[in-house]
Amino acid sequence: MAKKRPQAKAVKPQISDGEIPVVGAREPCPCGSGRRYKACHGRAASHAVTELVQRPFEGLAGECDWVALRELVPAATVPLTLKDPLPDGVPSVTLATVLPMAWPALRREDGSVLLGLQNDTPSGDLSRDLADTLKRALVAEPGSPVAAQRAESDGPRLQDLLDPAAPFEPEVHTGFEFWVPDADSAATEVAASLERANAAAIPTVRLTSVDASYWCETPEKNHLRWVMPHPEEKLLDALARLHAAGTSSLGEGTRLVGSFRAHGLTVPVWDLPAGMGAEECEKPAAEFAERLAGALASEEPLTADERRARGGLTNRQVTLS
């Protein structure tokens, strides 16, 4: 039995890429190819938005602290300084680790803006998503949260909006009372969210002797988590040199146990005795920073012991983002 020939479909005239509008993902592509938009010209647009940016905070003041506040610190705030003057009616902009109900941002009744950092974002460029949220928060109605939405693939990033010369100085809080001026008069849903967040917050302190180093207390043991700006391979070599020499700890009862990878940076982690608080970490951390600087400066090949130490450290890496 002869096969039926497929009927030729009418093909729409092709139009140039620059003229193709954005339509729904399942709609026919306006270029006339006969395919759905998501499988045709929408693919490039989607890729431009979702392509992962490995170091979204690179170039910002305090990049290491941005990473820590995004991944490690429960409750903290940082005043932000924009390149351009703030709009009328916006007295300040503050970065916050998290906001009630996981809002991306909040325009308070007094006009000030809180920008949430620990939120799921729709694209692979966290900096662009946060910049889009910030821009919308600056013009939102006072007293209203800002909803999440996909940023334009060519929209500004935080690096375009924030003053690179302004200091980035996090303030770590014991709870989330910074959400509202008066916690006792907060709305029911905000008060409930505040109570849940406070109950889950791990006590955390930022060290003052070194940059981007955070002590935290857990039921089992305490930890020091230190976000470092050095290239990963060079840092692992340096840590291996110190580990093989027996100088990678922060004192008796402490141990370098591994590291996190987060937003393109490496975060070494130490286990600490339960009785070792943040103040007791200050001097050992400063001394370790000096030893690390010497190890980073070494150009000698790793010895056999150092290579084994490096292998152990590599096996104990956990990627957070």
Side-chain angles (χ1 to χ4, degrees):
M1 185 175 179
K3 295 182 179 179
K4 294 183 179 179
R5 293 183 179 179
Q7 294 182 349
K9 295 182 179 180
V11 179
K12 296 180 181 180
Q14 299 287 316
I15 56 180
S16 67
D17 288 356
E19 300 171 344
I20 297 172
V22 176
V23 298
R26 294 180 175 274
E27 295 181 36
C29 186
C31 76
S33 66
R35 292 181 292 172
R36 290 180 178 180
Y37 178 71
K38 70 175 183 179
C40 192
H41 281 83
R43 180 178 297 171
S46 175
H47 179 74
V49 174
T50 59
E51 185 175 5
L52 180 64
V53 175
Q54 297 289 344
R55 288 181 63 179
F57 307 120
E58 186 176 14
L60 292 174
E63 178 188 7
C64 294
D65 281 306
W66 277 91
V67 172
L69 268 55
R70 166 72 182 185
E71 300 295 339
L72 306 174
V73 180
T77 55
V78 189
L80 296 180
T81 303
L82 275 59
K83 291 180 179 178
D84 297 329
L86 291 174
D88 291 340
V90 181
S92 63
V93 175
T94 301
L95 180 72
T97 47
V98 68
L99 295 177
M101 278 74 73
W103 290 329
L106 171 65
R107 180 89 185 273
R108 284 173 157 168
E109 292 286 356
D110 66 356
S112 61
V113 168
L114 288 178
L115 177 66
L117 183 56
Q118 295 179 11
N119 292 300
D120 292 333
T121 55
S123 85
D125 187 350
L126 180 57
S127 177
R128 197 180 308 280
D129 290 333
L130 288 168
D132 177 76
T133 300
L134 175 56
K135 286 187 65 179
R136 291 186 290 117
L138 292 172
V139 296
E141 288 295 323
S144 61
V146 176
Q149 73 173 35
R150 183 179 291 276
E152 296 292 333
S153 61
D154 59 350
R157 308 178 73 238
L158 288 174
Q159 289 82 347
D160 301 315
L161 301 183
L162 300 183
D163 182 354
F168 189 83
E169 299 175 348
E171 179 182 357
V172 178
H173 304 277
T174 57
F176 295 86
E177 282 72 20
F178 63 84
W179 283 351
V180 289
D182 183 5
D184 293 334
S185 62
T188 302
E189 60 179 2
V190 173
S193 183
L194 176 61
E195 183 177 355
R196 290 193 301 270
N198 281 344
I202 296 174
T204 302
V205 177
R206 183 175 184 261
L207 300 192
T208 59
S209 60
V210 292
D211 293 333
S213 184
Y214 291 82
W215 171 94
C216 67
E217 180 183 14
T218 64
E220 296 80 21
K221 60 184 67 175
N222 299 345
H223 304 280
L224 187 71
R225 302 180 290 192
W226 190 342
V227 186
M228 297 187 174
H230 318 291
E232 180 180 354
E233 296 302 313
K234 191 171 185 62
L235 177 58
L236 287 175
D237 281 352
L239 292 173
R241 295 181 195 278
L242 297 178
H243 203 62
T247 58
S248 64
S249 75
L250 299 176
E252 184 177 356
T254 71
R255 185 166 68 98
L256 175 63
V257 292
S259 61
F260 297 128
R261 287 193 191 97
H263 304 291
L265 299 182
T266 303
V267 188
V269 178
W270 285 263
D271 279 351
L272 310 173
M276 188 174 185
E279 290 185 4
E280 288 77 24
C281 290
E282 295 284 4
K283 183 178 179 181
E287 292 171 346
F288 178 85
E290 293 181 2
R291 297 196 298 274
L292 179 63
L296 286 166
S298 175
E299 298 293 339
E300 294 295 320
L302 296 181
T303 66
D305 287 343
E306 290 167 349
R307 288 196 300 272
R308 282 192 291 270
R310 193 187 194 285
L313 291 172
T314 302
N315 290 336
R316 295 193 297 274
Q317 280 189 306
V318 177
T319 300
L320 299 179
S321 59

